[in-house]
Amino acid sequence: MYIGCHISVGKGIYAAAERAVELGARSFQVFSKNPRSLKPKKIDYEDAEKAVRFMKERDLKLILHTPYITNLSSPKEDLTEITISSLKEDLHIAEVFGSPGAVVHVGKHVGEGEEFGFRRMVETLNAILGDYNGPVKLLLENTAGQGSEMGLTLKELMRIREATDVADKIGFCFDTCHGFAAGIWNGETYGELVEEMEKTGYLEHLMAIHFNDSKAPFHSRKDRHEKIGKGEIGSEALSRFIHDPHFQSLPIILETPVEDEWEYRDEMEYIRTW
């Protein structure tokens, strides 16, 4: 099983890959650029080539995460243009780094209404992926439903994907905390969640899992990550993902709150005791 964690890429992607191995991770995630900025990033191609070789030798899986501030449904035309440019660059970075997917948060309608948000999101995805022919997929992440966030349910995420002209270039990343906060699963309804993943076709396109407990209660619509087993979801419910054969080949990435990345090592060891 490819249990891993989020790693800083501040010292380069090769150093991040080495760090992941030091922590005992089988997979890891890095940001494509500053998570609070859409400004372009200079790529060290030599460092990336070295990292890709290292990851292949160690059977280490990588997932790229695009900046938090990305909004696929922005009502501002200038911001939409910047978003399109930024995500095109992110796809290129993912390709250079050897990641099969680039995770992006689903859009916020910012008071313009869900119909507008849906339409703008589809238009933006078409603009980003229309002329992209590389191997990387853009991975839509389910949301907790804070503010005007869209994409809470699997059906809505599938509807977004199917409404585009580029569905074959879109996959998914499932966040356990977001899904719990959005009210789409808990320990009692885990089986129903997986059944819906299969029935809607979502599971076929699922490429990564963000594995987080939740500080906020079920259906609170608050995105508050917590360490595994110390939150409202609990170890028993979360362990079902680890035991489920559907997810054995996917990178399962911890994004839990830590002051030092070494804390992830203890969490991963704890999960493996399951």
Side-chain angles (χ1 to χ4, degrees), residues 160-191:
I160 294 165
R161 180 182 184 274
E162 291 167 0
T164 70
D165 300 327
V166 290
D168 61 322
K169 302 175 185 178
I170 296 173
F172 300 109
C173 172
F174 183 78
D175 188 300
T176 57
C177 171
H178 297 177
F180 179 82
I184 68 171
W185 89 282
N186 59 23
E188 296 178 359
T189 62
Y190 174 84

Side-chain angles (χ1 to χ4, degrees), residues 183-246:
I184 68 171
W185 89 282
N186 59 23
E188 296 178 359
T189 62
Y190 174 84
E192 295 171 24
L193 171 70
V194 176
E195 184 179 344
E196 185 174 5
M197 284 182 173
E198 293 180 299
K199 186 169 62 177
T200 59
Y202 176 95
L203 185 61
E204 181 183 348
H205 307 290
L206 180 63
M207 294 180 63
I209 292 175
H210 285 167
F211 201 58
N212 306 301
D213 211 324
S214 175
K215 286 182 179 177
F218 177 68
H219 214 173
S220 61
R221 297 185 71 153
K222 293 181 179 179
D223 181 7
R224 302 287 187 273
H225 294 192
E226 180 56 284
K227 288 191 173 186
I228 301 301
K230 298 187 181 298
E232 296 287 329
I233 303 175
S235 296
E236 184 177 351
L238 287 166
S239 70
R240 300 189 67 177
F241 284 90
I242 301 301
H243 295 142
D244 196 319
H246 289 104

Side-chain angles (χ1 to χ4, degrees), residues 23-204:
L23 296 176
R26 295 288 312 283
S27 64
F28 69 113
Q29 176 179 270
V30 298
F31 280 116
S32 56
K33 51 175 75 86
N34 186 323
R36 304 293 177 188
S37 172
L38 299 180
K39 292 181 180 179
K41 176 181 177 178
K42 185 177 180 180
I43 303 172
D44 185 336
Y45 289 93
E46 186 177 340
D47 181 66
E49 187 177 345
K50 187 178 176 183
V52 170
R53 286 198 304 270
F54 179 83
M55 288 185 282
K56 285 181 179 178
E57 290 168 0
R58 307 274 189 309
D59 189 25
L60 184 64
K61 296 195 177 190
L62 169 67
I63 287 294
L64 193 83
H65 199 305
T66 64
Y68 286 137
I69 64 169
T70 302
N71 183 7
L72 295 171
S73 298
S74 176
K76 298 180 179 180
E77 297 293 341
D78 57 341
L79 187 54
T80 295
E81 289 181 16
I82 294 170
T83 296
I84 292 168
S85 177
S86 176
L87 284 171
K88 283 185 174 183
E89 181 194 31
D90 293 337
L91 288 168
H92 176 64
I93 293 171
E95 192 170 339
V96 171
F97 284 5
S99 172
V103 178
V104 61
H105 287 189
V106 177
K108 308 176 191 69
H109 61 74
V110 200
E112 295 295 323
E114 290 189 7
E115 183 178 343
F116 169 87
F118 179 85
R119 184 174 66 252
R120 175 55 59 87
M121 197 173 343
V122 170
E123 291 170 353
T124 304
L125 287 168
N126 284 337
I128 294 162
L129 295 167
D131 58 358
Y132 176 71
N133 296 309
V136 179
K137 291 193 176 185
L138 203 57
L139 308 183
L140 305 181
E141 181 177 351
N142 61 306
T143 66
Q146 292 189 150
S148 65
E149 284 181 339
M150 303 174 67
L152 280 73
T153 68
L154 305 186
K155 287 182 180 178
E156 184 180 1
L157 290 163
M158 284 297 294
R159 179 171 170 252
I160 294 165
R161 180 182 184 274
E162 291 167 0
T164 70
D165 300 327
V166 290
D168 61 322
K169 302 175 185 178
I170 296 173
F172 300 109
C173 172
F174 183 78
D175 188 300
T176 57
C177 171
H178 297 177
F180 179 82
I184 68 171
W185 89 282
N186 59 23
E188 296 178 359
T189 62
Y190 174 84
E192 295 171 24
L193 171 70
V194 176
E195 184 179 344
E196 185 174 5
M197 284 182 173
E198 293 180 299
K199 186 169 62 177
T200 59
Y202 176 95
L203 185 61
E204 181 183 348

